[in-house]
Amino acid sequence: MFKFIVKRILTAFVVLLVAMFAVFAILTYIPGSRLGYLNIWGQGDLLDHLFTALSVKPSLFTRYLRYIYNVFTTFHFASMARHHDLSATVLQRTRFTLLLTFSGFIFIVIFGISAGAYAAYKKGSLFDKAVSLLSMFVASLPPFCLAIYLAMIFCLGLHLLPVFGYDSIKNFILPTITIASASLATTIQTCRFAVIEELNKPYIKNLRSRGQKEGVILFRHALRNAVLPTISVIREKTASIFVSTFIAEWFYAIPGIGYYLIQGINSRDYGVIMASTMVIAIILLLFNIISEVLYCVFDPQLRSTQLRGETDV
Amino acid sequence: MFKRAVRRFVRNRTAMIALIIFVMMVLSCFIFPLLGYNDFESLHLESQYAPVSLRHPFSTDNLGRDLFTRIVIGGRYTLGLSFIATIIAVVFGVAIGTLAAYKGGWLDNFTSGLTQAVSAIPYVLTAIILEVSLGWGQGWFSLAIALANMPAVIQSVRAAVLKVRQQEFISAARVAGKSDLFIITKHVLRNIYSTVIVRFCSTYAASIVACSVLGYLEVGISSPAPEWGRMVADYFHLIQTRGFLVFIPCLFISRSVLCVTMISHGLRDALDPKEYQHE
């Protein structure tokens, strides 16, 4: 198990370096250099002359290595617009993003699995139909549309919940629903289908004939086997949950890392773009590793194949 | 086969209603501009928030521009750009997915690794990076959306092709000395067309979402263009006083996405009745 985790972390590190190199290279070659104003005086190649005269124009790869080295040794993200170290800001903003994502995940897991299991148990009932219809409707809305509807209902209409700010728990209710919405429907549907399939199996009939309580049958036996496909669906949805998190941050004015990235892009602050992309990539890769480990914990069959080193699932 | 699928689709009431509403929306995006609703950018500050009338069915915005015209023209942007994106995503996705699954080996491993990597990156990020690096044209905008949706297409096509490839008639064709190109076009593609059609529809829904999300985040399409998501962002500061300016574009986005989703569900049930009996 330990070996497997270490291997995964090393792979993730390589992926991170490659992805960051791609972003770095793109940011280097896009039109609109920070030093472009030097060209205003008409000497088109003034910059190049300057660089060669000072012999300070290193290659792209060297600069990238230097950047990465600086980041990893001193944890210092340089900003171009604001002349100070970004690491404190980045950390502070990451906290909000992590908080939001976690609450979204927890909402999806708790609500998705319980609603899915109950809908499967009451198959064909009004609850079942209402849940499938509502979840399909909500899932097909773009996250920001849902956010606007929620804001209109709960804030402008009912005056119940605030739509911006980040000081109390009330501020996080609407963002959590917005983040969860896109993946909730799939989770519910998968869980419902898996539980229905499980409930049709003979061992459930056997349990019933022995007089086992319905609650125990549903939660201890059927749901336990249905959790696995549900987890794998949630795992596939990780990236889209992050997209919803950015949108929720943008909409509810929560100063998270996605908000920071969009701000950085709008002000062309490459330091901010690099720092926030890196943090996002790290979080995503970490989530992947955690979910893979969880998957192994839940699925004994997979555990044995992965521990033998056949990582291709 | 095909006729029966069409009949099944027509009998599906929700899907038919969705199709009719969606076709009407698309048609109105092209008909109403011809009827004089085509001035979406000139300012008329004297007719700010005009009362609802035949000339201004949805009233006017804070700069006196007719909201209905902006919605109708904006439909061309949102629905049109995401349609182009869908075509790109499906054409390339089917080509790559089919080749990878049919050839197998290192090509397959490479493709599935690449799709996993791309699908792990949030599409807003991909789109933003593409936009920033390649310039701010509408073509690139479509390409960014297409790239965001391609992994899902590739994965589903790959799974379908893998299923077909195992069957006997493929090995029979191979034994008969047919070329790979012949087998792919005549046998493989013909057997996965239902997957492709359903995928096309669901990709279209995802593209509309992606397009409006990017518009909402103010990436890509610049302001006077009335892309629906962009309109939501533009009017957002008026949400407390003039809620309809935000609500109407929002309604059009969600309605079109919902319609396309319903159509794709209907198509799936019509084309593959055996596979989805349980739902």
Side-chain angles (χ1 to χ4, degrees), chain A residues 90-106 172 179 241-242 245-246 249 254-258 279-280 282-284 286-287 290:
Chain A
V90 165
L91 272 187
Q92 201 190 353
R93 284 172 176 258
T94 312
R95 240 183 31 211
F96 283 114
T97 304
L98 280 182
L99 188 67
L100 276 177
T101 330
F102 268 122
S103 58
F105 265 109
I106 289 170
F172 288 96
I179 292 166
I241 289 171
F242 271 94
T245 310
F246 298 167
E249 280 169 9
I254 294 168
I257 203 80
V279 171
I280 292 165
I282 290 174
I283 296 176
L284 266 176
L286 268 184
F287 259 86
I290 292 172

Side-chain angles (χ1 to χ4, degrees), chain A residues 12 25 65 94 112 148 184-185 190 199 204 211 242 256 272 274 278 288 311:
Chain A
L65 284 185
T94 312
I148 285 172
L184 199 56
T190 319
L199 285 176
I204 296 285
F242 271 94
V272 172
M274 278 301 281
M278 186 180 262
N288 272 346
T311 42

Side-chain angles (χ1 to χ4, degrees), chain B residues 89-102 108 150-165 188-189 191-197 199-200 203:
Chain B
V90 169
V91 167
F92 281 93
V94 168
I96 295 170
T98 314
L99 255 175
Y102 186 78
D108 192 22
M150 221 181 281
V153 180
I154 292 177
Q155 274 161 5
S156 68
V157 168
R158 181 175 167 273
V161 172
L162 281 182
K163 215 183 264 173
V164 172
R165 204 184 62 157
V188 176
L189 286 183
N191 278 292
I192 62 161
Y193 83 101
S194 67
T195 314
V196 173
I197 291 175
R199 246 311 141 182
F200 186 88
T203 307

Side-chain angles (χ1 to χ4, degrees), chain A residues 23 26 30 136-137 140-145 148-149 152 156 193 239 243 246-247 250-251 261-262 265 268 277 284, chain B residues 119-120 122 125 128-129 132-133 136 212-213 216-217 232 236 243 246-247 250-251 253-254 257-258 262 265 278:
Chain A
V23 178
I26 287 170
I30 59 174
M136 198 175 106
F137 178 71
S140 60
L141 293 180
F144 72 91
C145 279
I148 285 172
Y149 293 149
M152 281 184 162
L156 297 178
F193 184 59
V243 170
F246 298 167
I247 291 156
W250 185 249
F251 185 89
L261 174 67
I262 297 167
I265 286 166
R268 295 290 170 95
T277 321
L284 266 176
Chain B
S119 63
L125 207 65
I128 289 172
I129 291 173
V132 175
S133 54
W136 303 86
S212 55
V213 163
Y216 174 69
L217 294 177
V232 174
F236 191 66
V246 179
F247 185 67
C250 226
L251 196 71
I253 297 168
S254 30
V257 177
L258 199 65
M262 295 284 190
H265 281 213
H278 51 263

Side-chain angles (χ1 to χ4, degrees), chain B residues 161-178:
Chain B
V161 172
L162 281 182
K163 215 183 264 173
V164 172
R165 204 184 62 157
Q166 285 169 350
Q167 286 173 13
E168 284 90 357
F169 63 88
I170 299 288
S171 13
R174 216 177 275 158
V175 170
K178 303 289 186 198

Side-chain angles (χ1 to χ4, degrees), chain A residues 133-177:
Chain A
L133 200 72
L134 194 72
S135 61
M136 198 175 106
F137 178 71
V138 169
S140 60
L141 293 180
F144 72 91
C145 279
L146 181 75
I148 285 172
Y149 293 149
L150 286 176
M152 281 184 162
I153 295 170
F154 288 103
C155 182
L156 297 178
L158 300 173
H159 299 288
L160 272 180
L161 296 167
V163 284
F164 69 91
Y166 45 88
D167 357 281
S168 77
I169 195 143
K170 264 180 151 182
N171 292 99
F172 288 96
I173 297 175
L174 293 184
T176 305
I177 298 175

